[in-house]
Structures are given as structure tokens and as C-alpha cells.
Amino acid sequence: MNGAESLVATLVEQDVDICFANPGTSEMHFLAALGGNPGMRSVLCLFEGVATGAADGWYRMKDKPASTLLHLGPGLANGLANIHNAKRASSGMVNVVGEHSASHLKYDPPLTSDIEGLARPLSHWVRRAESADSIAWDTAQAVAKASEHPGQIATLILPGDTSWQRTEAERVLPTPAVSRRKTPNAARIEHVARVLRSGEPTLIILAN
């Protein structure tokens, strides 16, 4: 199993079973892993904003996070508008952003950028995968963050070499946290009910 296969297997085990993808060359191993796991549905999107918008819509309909696959920093930047909308709507989302291999970065290849810097303002959790052996742990933590209530944005950066490296290590996952919605305050509900029953003109403002 390589790092990409470990990542996809962990997503599926953590109940993230769809990926809206706009991949590039750096993500080919991850794309192959998506197609090779029968528990994962991969949806090709022709623009990154479509991928992130679809992931936002998925959470709003299913109440569980989807994943996206974006190509390097510019791909993430193209998807940021709908990541912003998802964050404002408290939608959970796991973004997997490809990166050049570590050995290639020293040559400053085209599309090299500060992915963490782009992701951080609109993400609640950002991490760069360091090795194929640890990627399952990173992925499980990303899903746990995205699955919190209210939903969160988790961004996992996937260097190419981390994706294609083989791993013989047993996949070790953190203990899953139990995600619970906060119980509404009973006194507040009763107060709102009294106001609505009063017959007086009432203005309702809905906000996160």
C-alpha cells in the first residue's frame, strides 16, 4: 500500500466516501487510489470552485463531510470562494491539496506557492503530510475536525513523494471523537415560543 492508498482507505473507514476532484500531475497516485477503492466515489469537476461548492452542498444535504482534491496552491486558490461560503455556513469539508515532491521543491517549479498561507485563513485545521507511514493518522484527524458540529474546514497537503511512497507500517488511527450537537437551551426555546404565540409583530433573524 502506498501513501495515497492509505489516505483513501482511511477516508472511507472514517465515512468520507465521495471526493470532488480537479487533479493535476502531482496527484496522479491519489487519483489512482480513488479509482481503486470500491468504497470511494470520485467525481471529476472541471473547475476547482465546482469541486468545493459541491462539497459544501454535500454537507448541507447529507450532514457529513465530503473530500475534495485540488492541484497545488493555484488550484486551492481557485476553490477558495466556495470554501469561504462553506466556512460561513459551518459546512464540514476535507480538502486534499497536492504538492510537488520534497526533492522537486528546491528547483522552484512552476505553480510552487505557500499552500499553508493560502489555506489557513479559511481552514480550521491545516497539516502537511510528512510521510506515507503517518498519513492515515493525519487523514483521520482531518476527518474528525471536519465532522465536528458545527462543521469545520480541514486541509491536508499531500506532497507527491508522500503519496507514492510505499508503507509497510500498520495504519494507526487516533481514537475517534464522538461528535455531538449541542442541545438547545430549553428556556430560550420556551421564550421564543411565547413570543411567537403572542400575536405581536415579530422579526426573525437567522444567523450562524
Side-chain angles (χ1 to χ4, degrees):
M1 176 179 289
N2 62 26
E5 292 164 342
S6 178
L7 197 164
V8 173
T10 305
L11 285 174
V12 171
E13 289 176 11
Q14 303 295 307
D15 200 29
V16 176
D17 54 8
I18 191 166
C19 182
F20 298 101
N22 186 284
T25 52
S26 303
E27 298 84 44
M28 287 297 99
H29 288 80
F30 184 65
L31 193 64
L34 288 174
N37 190 314
M40 175 61 73
R41 180 183 175 193
S42 179
V43 180
L44 177 63
C45 302
L46 300 184
F47 177 63
E48 295 87 348
V50 174
T52 53
D56 179 17
W58 181 268
Y59 184 90
R60 298 189 198 206
M61 293 186 295
K62 304 281 284 187
D63 199 32
K64 70 174 189 175
S67 59
T68 71
L69 173 59
L70 307 172
H71 181 48
L72 305 173
L76 171 62
N78 283 342
L80 283 179
N82 280 327
I83 294 175
H84 169 269
N85 292 341
K87 185 178 182 183
R88 297 297 293 174
S90 298
S91 297
M93 183 186 302
V94 177
N95 297 308
V96 178
V97 183
E99 172 64 295
H100 298 292
S101 65
S103 61
H104 198 198
L105 279 172
K106 63 185 178 183
Y107 299 111
D108 191 29
L111 303 185
T112 299
S113 58
D114 179 5
I115 299 176
E116 285 92 344
L118 290 167
R120 197 166 286 114
L122 295 178
S123 300
H124 299 89
W125 181 99
V126 180
R127 181 170 297 169
R128 178 179 291 258
E130 297 295 338
S131 74
D133 292 341
S134 64
I135 201 166
W137 182 279
D138 296 336
T139 304
Q141 291 204 319
V143 175
K145 190 66 179 176
S147 301
E148 290 181 5
H149 287 289
Q152 309 283 297
I153 306 297
T155 301
L156 179 62
I157 301 166
L158 181 66
D161 48 343
T162 304
S163 186
W164 69 60
Q165 286 171 351
R166 305 298 299 180
T167 175
E168 303 301 330
E170 180 181 355
R171 284 191 302 124
V172 179
L173 306 181
T175 303
V178 178
S179 180
R180 294 190 179 93
R181 291 185 181 273
K182 294 181 180 179
T183 304
N185 183 284
R188 188 173 183 181
I189 292 174
E190 180 58 33
H191 171 71
V192 172
R194 284 198 304 271
V195 170
L196 293 175
R197 292 192 194 105
S198 70
E200 295 295 322
T202 305
L203 173 66
I204 299 175
I205 300 175
L206 301 177
N208 290 327

